Amino acid sequence: MTVSQQVFLRDSMRRLNLTRDVFAARIGVKRRALDTWLLPEGSQEFRTMPEVVSRFVTEIVQNEGLLQKYAQSAQSGPLRDRIAYHGKHQLLSVDQFTRESVEDLFRIADQMQPIARRQKVSRVLEGAVLGNLFFEASTRTRVSFGAAFCRLGGSVCDTTGFTFSSMAKGESIYDTSRVMSGYVDAMVIRHPEKGSVAEFAQATNIPVVNGGDGPGEHPSQALLDLYTILTEFSRLGKLLDGAHIALVGDLKYGRTVHSLIKLLALYRGLKFTLIAPRGLEMPDYLLEETGKQGHTIVQSSSLEEGLVGADVIYATRVQKERFAAEEIEGYTPDFQVNKAIVDKCCGPDVIVMHPLPRDSREGAHDLSVDLNHDTRLAIFRQTDNGIPVRMAIFAVLLGVEGLVQHSLRDVTWSPPSHIGPDDSILHDMD
Ligand code: NCD
């Protein structure tokens, strides 16, 4: 590069007519990383931007078509109107997002990080009540939605399980939803049937979030997964456009991968390697949709072949509770993602993800615990990201995202510097 990095980046932002925030989001890096690249070369905090970023930015500014696309000014109007579902402020599917709106949501999630990391508190949702209605097993989704709402100053009412709900007495989804709407200001619903959360949403005008509808979708999980990938890539100096993503396991019934593949497909030129046991392959409609968007899809039943060169390995649990006629008991050992296979097939900067829970029972062969102390394992950074992303979802759906920044106060207690015994220094970097 003949001009300095600082001049090159400033010139590119000017030509694209973008602010630092929007420029960082468009090229898929954290604002904090961009700030360090924009410092004068002699400065102490100056960092050299990765080669791939400079190539990508050069490509955009030199190509008229791309320049137009990336320079488009941010769409107008509040984010909640841009992602609305049939005119309502609800989150039922990742289909509601464009690349631009998803990155807008992530900028709000970034603003939530000081609260999620227990440095700041906010009360922007004071007085609001969340109804957390979970008709299927859950730990992290239910608690993290609840915690996210509480950390914005709201309160949470929970109901768990089918047996102890009025649905066991034959109450319809419509009646339950309408009744709950009189009690709470937003609802998160998890239900075993595909399409059921959309039915809940039809019976109410309060915000509804799909916390998982059977084998259908799990949009908040996919959002936090994508947020994690972008955060990790930013630390590693990688771009998501052109990356190789390996999805492993039960791709037929795993709703997290159904939402995730659609969300990732908003990016450019990805390679997806789908590695599933026979009979648990990704549904055809998702393969067609993803293929039409110009991505490469390779299906494989060999973990060893499929993982070669992957930037992300996303493993999933066998969804035995959703099986119809399938015989399979768990994964055979050759489907297990473990340290040996990751070392053999991937580089030092691969990230290993899983929506959790992982089935740690003997014979399940889910994601191995032998990667637990390996920094490439991102599963707990992933679960931690569930809080800021879910806070952002609530803030947007309830229209308070603009109030957060000025509402922040210091915490009064002293949280530990690292929340988990295995947390490395990586935890605080992005
Ligand atoms: C997933 C789910 O419920 O779909 N869990 C989660 O919400 N993180 C994955 C699973 O149950 O295997």
Side-chain angles (χ1 to χ4, degrees):
M1 187 173 290
T2 47
V3 292
S4 80
Q5 173 175 303
Q6 190 188 30
V7 171
F8 167 75
L9 287 170
R10 279 194 204 288
D11 184 54
S12 306
M13 283 193 289
R14 191 183 45 73
R15 292 186 62 187
L16 290 160
N17 194 23
L18 298 176
T19 61
R20 268 194 205 199
D21 272 339
V22 180
F23 182 70
R26 290 284 160 82
I27 63 171
V29 301
K30 290 274 173 195
R31 164 70 197 260
R32 237 188 291 166
L34 178 63
D35 285 345
T36 62
W37 304 337
L38 275 162
L39 290 168
E41 249 127 83
S43 129
Q44 283 214 322
E45 271 133 68
F46 167 82
R47 290 210 322 224
T48 308
M49 73 179 148
E51 163 66 19
V52 63
V53 175
S54 102
R55 252 189 293 124
F56 182 54
V57 175
T58 308
E59 194 193 326
I60 297 170
V61 290
Q62 285 179 353
N63 175 317
E64 200 48 45
L66 283 177
L67 192 66
Q68 292 286 328
K69 182 174 163 224
Y70 280 85
Q72 270 164 16
S73 57
Q75 281 173 17
S76 54
L79 182 53
R80 67 174 182 168
D81 292 340
R82 285 189 273 133
I83 62 166
Y85 184 86
H86 295 309
K88 293 185 184 181
H89 299 138
Q90 302 181 328
L91 173 56
L92 302 183
S93 162
V94 293
D95 293 339
Q96 292 167 244
F97 286 93
T98 59
R99 177 168 174 167
E100 189 172 58
S101 59
V102 87
E103 288 174 354
D104 285 349
L105 181 82
F106 291 165
R107 270 196 293 283
I108 299 165
D110 284 344
Q111 285 178 20
M112 301 297 185
Q113 285 289 13
I115 310 175
R117 291 179 182 171
R118 294 148 231 203
Q119 295 147 352
K120 299 281 177 188
V121 289
S122 169
R123 315 264 334 142
V124 287
L125 284 186
E126 187 162 19
V129 179
L130 173 72
N132 233 349
L133 273 64
F134 277 66
F135 300 104
E136 242 192 12
S138 174
T139 305
R140 81 219 72 245
T141 306
R142 186 172 59 83
V143 176
S144 67
F145 267 120
F149 207 81
C150 290
R151 288 200 185 275
L152 287 172
S155 315
V156 182
C157 295
D158 269 291
T159 140
T160 326
F162 203 80
T163 330
F164 296 106
S165 79
S166 287
M167 284 202 166
K169 299 178 183 170
E171 187 170 56
S172 68
I173 286 182
Y174 186 95
D175 286 3
T176 305
S177 179
R178 173 59 191 89
V179 169
M180 288 300 296
S181 311
Y183 303 158
V184 299
D185 303 291
M187 283 191 270
V188 179
I189 295 152
R190 172 172 284 190
H191 192 280
E193 274 161 46
K194 186 173 174 174
S196 54
V197 182
E199 220 181 311
F200 269 95
Q202 272 166 20
T204 179
N205 289 332
I206 67 168
V208 169
V209 179
N210 181 358
D213 59 328
E217 277 218 40
H218 195 344
S220 67
Q221 178 69 44
L223 288 164
L224 76 90
D225 292 338
L226 175 59
Y227 181 79
T228 302
I229 294 171
L230 292 174
T231 306
E232 297 280 315
F233 275 25
S234 177
R235 173 175 61 76
L236 295 165
K238 287 181 165 187
L239 289 183
L240 181 49
D241 289 310
H244 176 188
I245 316 285
L247 302 177
V248 184
D250 183 349
L251 308 183
K252 178 175 182 183
Y253 292 113
R255 55 192 169 202
T256 67
V257 282
H258 297 169
S259 291
L260 183 59
I261 196 167
K262 290 201 272 183
L263 210 47
L264 286 167
L266 297 175
Y267 286 74
R268 288 193 311 150
L270 299 191
K271 174 179 174 186
F272 291 103
T273 302
L274 309 178
I275 308 158
R278 196 181 298 277
L280 295 181
E281 291 92 355
M282 182 71 80
D284 285 343
Y285 79 95
L286 285 166
L287 299 180
E288 273 161 36
E289 246 178 63
T290 313
K292 269 194 224 147
Q293 285 162 279
H295 302 289
T296 306
I297 302 172
V298 178
Q299 296 207 73
S300 173
S301 53
S302 159
L303 198 57
E304 212 169 311
E305 276 170 29
L307 293 190
V308 175
D311 296 295
V312 177
I313 302 171
Y314 189 99
T316 61
R317 179 180 68 87
V318 173
Q319 309 279 301
K320 201 164 169 16
E321 68 275 26
R322 306 199 195 287
F323 280 10
E326 290 82 355
E327 300 282 310
I328 170 171
E329 277 303 312
Y331 296 124
T332 51
D334 47 318
F335 277 97
Q336 184 173 46
V337 175
N338 57 28
K339 186 160 168 21
I341 196 144
V342 174
D343 284 343
K344 184 165 179 198
C345 304
C346 307
D349 59 359
V350 65
I351 56 167
V352 181
M353 301 174 64
H354 190 298
L356 301 185
R358 58 179 154 173
D359 189 341
S360 301
R361 287 171 292 197
E362 203 164 324
H365 303 298
D366 202 340
L367 174 64
S368 171
V369 292
D370 70 1
L371 280 159
N372 276 8
H373 305 289
D374 192 312
T375 51
R376 293 172 295 182
L377 187 75
I379 56 174
F380 298 119
R381 301 195 287 279
Q382 198 181 344
T383 49
D384 288 347
N385 283 333
I387 296 290
V389 169
R390 291 186 167 118
M391 289 171 82
I393 292 170
F394 286 132
V396 167
L397 292 179
L398 292 155
V400 297
E401 74 273 25
L403 304 177
V404 174
Q405 209 56 272
H406 295 292
S407 72
L408 299 179
R409 284 181 293 114
D410 288 342
V411 287
T412 48
W413 68 97
S414 308
S417 59
H418 286 96
I419 50 180
D422 288 326
D423 288 355
S424 73
I425 190 80
L426 282 186
H427 197 94
D428 293 328
M429 287 177 57
D430 43 41

